[in-house]
Amino acid sequence: MLVKVVLCGLATAIGAIAALVVHHWFSSHHRHRHGLVVVAASNSPKTARREADYVCKGRHDEVVINHAIRRLPHGGTLRLMDGDYYIDGFDCKDHTAIRFGSNGGCARVINVTGTTENKSYNTRHGVTLHVTEHAFSKVPAGTECRVFGGSPRKPDAEGAFYTYTHVNNVNFENFYIYLPDASRPVVGIDARNFGSSYVRQVGVYTANYFHDRFMHLKPATPVPGCIGFYSCPGSNDEMARIGYDTANAGGLHTGFVLDGVDHLVMKTCTAARCCRGYEFRDIRKTLTVLNSSDEGNAHLPHFSGAGHVSMIDFNIERFNADFMPDDPAGDGRRGATVEKGAKWRGTISYTLQGGAFGLKRFFEPGCGMDFRVTNEDHSPVERPENPEYLETYFDRASNRSFTWNGSEWVDSSGAAAQPAEKK
């Protein structure tokens, strides 16, 4: 009787295990068919590791993630479960760690998303991709690398049309990327070879960024080419998603490089303690920056090429020059600059907190003459001490409006205002 009970129990256990295996295979197969691949980290919760299609080992996790991407030839979602992933090499083509390949020339949309929204820097929830010292040690001198990148392949155009897009449209959400430092020309998310790309709740930082920031330590001097986000090029005339929503970069050489993209909208983004927070290069149509921040960077934005920008409620913080990175080029110009011959237009409204580097205006002298710039801290009825070009105020005593022409205040007839009374 005892033998029968034991055998019966054993059979039940084997049946349960078999059912679990079949269930996992069916669930995994079902997910793949419906465009979902789940990857867990070595330290993801047990339930996540048990249910995932792939489980990383904590070393060369980029190999596992690349394999998962290949399981989505028709597009879909690559879901990263909460945990820490380790990037140990930039071994794909173009010195890329995680690469979206040519996919046989077929277009697809892939969403790379972390499970938990916006990991806080001092907690253990959320998804973080750690680029290791080992990966940095293998980067040849002067070689540009990227954590995320794509194939330059473009789909064939129909008829006589030329296609501006690429085969991979990739969107990113809910994770951090940590670089060991800013000593190598590495791009966190390089979208130059994506057809479209929307980034939400993603941060690219150096490993010591938060520690240095809150301990008031000066960051190491970054190398050019160490970039948080590089935008995708081309048109957003119809339904392509192109934009940044709560994307953040810190401790790098350049936070955001926005180059050749159309109709881009950035909102609530931050670049902090970089050499330069933002570079705007040849935006073909319009660019809108909403309620974004430039915190403790060595330089305000730089404009080259041509384009039009509207920057609304751009917050600038400059409290202590000793806690900002040095510029490896030795450029002492701290305000925004426009490259000679560039054709940029636009409107900029900003607030300025702190006066590090003696920063009192948005543009460097002689730059930004084709922009209308407003310091929102200034009263519309009081004469600003540090006016922007074309800034106005209304003088109630004389019942006239005055405009700063770059050297003096003049009214609509060109008559100069009386000298301001000393306080």
Side-chain angles (χ1 to χ4, degrees):
M1 186 67 179
L2 180 60
V3 173
K4 286 185 178 181
V5 172
V6 172
L7 290 176
C8 182
L10 182 60
T12 301
I14 292 173
I17 293 171
L20 182 62
V21 170
V22 170
H23 173 74
H24 179 75
W25 176 88
F26 179 80
S27 298
S28 177
H29 183 68
H30 181 75
R31 286 199 298 263
H32 291 170
R33 290 189 61 185
H34 287 79
L36 172 63
V37 176
V38 178
V39 179
S42 59
N43 64 343
S44 292
K46 288 183 179 180
T47 53
R49 284 181 279 145
R50 184 171 60 246
E51 296 172 2
D53 300 303
Y54 301 96
V55 178
C56 296
K57 301 298 183 183
R59 187 172 183 273
H60 282 293
D61 293 340
E62 74 278 3
V63 175
V64 178
I65 296 172
N66 281 314
H67 186 73
I69 290 171
R70 290 193 289 271
R71 297 295 297 267
L72 295 170
H74 307 295
T77 296
L78 171 63
R79 181 175 297 161
L80 301 175
M81 306 303 287
D82 285 3
D84 296 280
Y85 300 79
Y86 294 89
I87 308 301
D88 284 307
F90 301 96
D91 298 327
C92 295
K93 291 181 180 179
D94 309 315
H95 301 287
T96 304
I98 300 171
R99 189 174 189 270
F100 299 83
S102 61
N103 198 38
C106 297
R108 60 180 171 176
V109 177
I110 293 183
N111 303 303
V112 180
T113 179
T115 307
T116 303
E117 181 175 299
N118 196 22
K119 176 176 180 176
S120 175
Y121 74 93
N122 63 349
T123 62
R124 298 302 302 166
H125 69 273
V127 171
T128 301
L129 280 69
H130 303 264
V131 178
T132 66
E133 294 278 2
H134 177 73
F136 261 35
S137 69
K138 298 195 303 180
V139 176
T143 300
E144 183 184 71
C145 299
R146 51 202 51 80
V147 180
F148 286 97
S151 166
R153 177 75 180 268
K154 296 182 178 182
D156 295 332
E158 297 181 4
F161 290 100
Y162 172 75
T163 180
Y164 286 92
T165 192
H166 294 80
V167 295
N168 293 292
N169 302 326
V170 188
N171 307 303
F172 302 90
E173 185 173 7
N174 294 345
F175 62 86
Y176 280 3
I177 298 172
Y178 280 143
L179 306 180
D181 52 47
S183 66
R184 300 288 192 280
V186 175
V187 183
I189 295 180
D190 188 344
R192 278 175 282 188
N193 287 330
F194 295 158
S196 67
S197 184
Y198 193 88
V199 179
R200 180 178 180 273
Q201 299 283 131
V202 174
V204 182
Y205 308 102
T206 52
N208 288 332
Y209 165 75
F210 289 108
H211 176 268
D212 291 349
R213 175 181 176 183
F214 292 108
M215 295 301 293
H216 294 173
L217 301 176
K218 188 179 183 66
T221 301
V223 302
C226 187
I227 299 167
F229 303 89
Y230 203 116
S231 69
C232 65
S235 176
N236 187 24
D237 288 333
E238 281 81 34
M239 295 179 67
R241 284 183 287 175
I242 300 177
Y244 296 95
D245 181 350
T246 320
N248 302 300
L252 313 174
H253 183 277
T254 307
F256 297 86
V257 176
L258 307 169
D259 186 3
V261 68
D262 294 349
H263 303 299
L264 176 70
V265 176
M266 302 181 69
K267 68 174 185 175
T268 58
C269 295
T270 299
R273 292 166 63 86
C274 299
C275 181
R276 190 180 303 280
Y278 303 82
E279 281 198 27
F280 302 127
R281 303 177 182 175
D282 206 19
I283 307 297
R284 298 187 181 95
K285 294 186 180 176
T286 57
L287 168 68
T288 304
V289 182
L290 301 172
N291 194 27
S292 294
S293 300
D294 187 300
E295 298 183 3
N297 301 304
H299 304 284
L300 286 180
H302 179 69
F303 298 85
S304 61
H308 183 278
V309 63
S310 295
M311 301 177 71
I312 302 170
D313 292 336
F314 192 65
N315 178 245
I316 302 168
E317 294 185 11
R318 293 293 186 279
F319 288 114
N320 193 321
D322 293 335
F323 304 149
M324 301 181 198
D326 294 327
D327 183 347
D331 187 349
R333 299 174 300 168
R334 304 301 180 175
T337 50
V338 180
E339 188 174 279
K340 185 177 181 181
K343 297 181 179 179
W344 274 85
R345 309 286 188 272
T347 58
I348 298 171
S349 66
Y350 74 94
T351 57
L352 174 60
Q353 298 173 269
F357 297 130
L359 190 66
K360 296 179 179 179
R361 300 180 181 88
F362 189 85
F363 279 105
E364 284 288 306
C367 292
M369 306 300 283
D370 291 318
F371 291 82
R372 187 172 189 87
V373 182
T374 302
N375 186 335
E376 296 290 357
D377 290 327
H378 293 167
S379 167
V381 294
E382 294 179 4
R383 184 180 299 186
E385 293 183 2
N386 301 292
E388 296 283 357
Y389 179 64
L390 297 183
E391 189 168 1
T392 63
Y393 80 97
F394 182 77
D395 182 72
R396 288 176 290 192
S398 63
N399 202 33
R400 289 185 297 169
S401 290
F402 290 92
T403 301
W404 180 252
N405 66 7
S407 58
E408 61 180 347
W409 292 100
V410 296
D411 65 12
S412 58
S413 69
Q418 295 296 319
E421 296 183 4
K422 294 183 177 180
K423 297 180 180 179

